[in-house]
Amino acid sequence: MRLYGVTGWKDAGKTGLMERLTAEITSRGFTVSTIKHAHHDFNVDQPGKDSYRHRAAGATEVLVSSADRWALMHELRGREELPLELLLSKLSPVDLVLIEGYKRDRHPKIEVWRSETNHALIAPGDPTVRAIASDISVPDLNVPRFHIDDTVAVADFIISELRL
């Protein structure tokens, strides 16, 4: 599986670009899976639902299945967060895994940067950032630069760089 990341600071537009890239790249016939890193507590089920009740009762894993989909939830219960490499091993094979977040991991990435966030660019100090997608012109950092809404150009770049 080939990996490509979408990284940047909070509220830069990473999720929107991930969504658009997933749609664009799958429309070209490639299979895509995604991994999203969350820096906060999150739930994929809701209080009162059976799966939530199973987890609350102490289950380490809860697998929910229907005719349309299945989902596996694993509670860490105080253990360390799994590294990206181990999480990737849990995915079924696809052409491309798009990874949102994980800015410190060593896979190639495109940085999403918006002027209004008032954060410094990550790219100057990180050789894994291969391009920048922004809402404004950014300084020349010897990496390709794209407008954040030019999904086709960003997808073309990722596909070319990974030789898909």
Side-chain angles (χ1 to χ4, degrees):
M1 289 189 296
R2 306 255 170 93
L3 312 176
Y4 215 92
V6 175
T7 195
W9 299 106
K10 182 180 174 162
D11 297 326
K14 298 180 302 290
T15 301
L17 183 57
M18 285 278 293
E19 180 181 17
R20 293 189 310 274
L21 284 172
T22 300
E24 176 64 28
I25 295 170
T26 58
S27 76
R28 299 180 188 195
F30 295 103
T31 55
V32 177
S33 289
T34 65
I35 292 183
K36 157 109 175 104
H37 187 259
H39 292 282
H40 45 79
D41 188 27
F42 70 93
N43 277 317
V44 294
D45 57 357
Q46 301 299 315
K49 296 293 185 182
D50 294 349
S51 57
Y52 184 95
R53 292 171 59 193
H54 294 186
R55 284 190 314 114
T60 299
E61 289 189 327
V62 177
L63 192 146
V64 181
S65 181
S66 74
D68 295 323
R69 73 190 53 85
W70 65 270
L72 176 64
M73 292 169 281
H74 183 100
E75 288 294 314
L76 293 175
R77 305 229 182 263
R79 292 184 303 278
E80 283 191 35
E81 180 178 358
L82 298 179
L84 179 58
E85 183 176 298
L86 186 54
L87 295 171
L88 288 165
S89 72
K90 296 182 179 299
L91 293 176
S92 299
V94 292
D95 297 317
L96 173 63
V97 178
L98 289 173
I99 302 167
E100 182 177 343
Y102 291 95
K103 65 175 73 80
R104 290 175 185 81
D105 283 83
R106 306 316 303 160
H107 57 276
K109 304 169 190 75
I110 186 164
E111 179 177 358
V112 180
W113 190 81
R114 285 195 190 274
S115 57
E116 65 209 33
T117 63
N118 293 320
H119 288 287
L121 282 163
I122 297 167
D126 187 344
T128 66
V129 175
R130 307 284 174 81
I132 297 170
S134 181
D135 60 340
I136 64 167
S137 178
V138 295
D140 186 4
L141 299 171
N142 294 322
V143 296
R145 292 162 290 167
F146 302 97
H147 190 278
I148 194 169
D149 294 326
D150 194 351
T151 307
V152 171
V154 174
D156 288 344
F157 173 77
I158 291 171
I159 288 168
S160 173
E161 184 162 79
L162 294 176
R163 295 180 176 87
L164 283 176

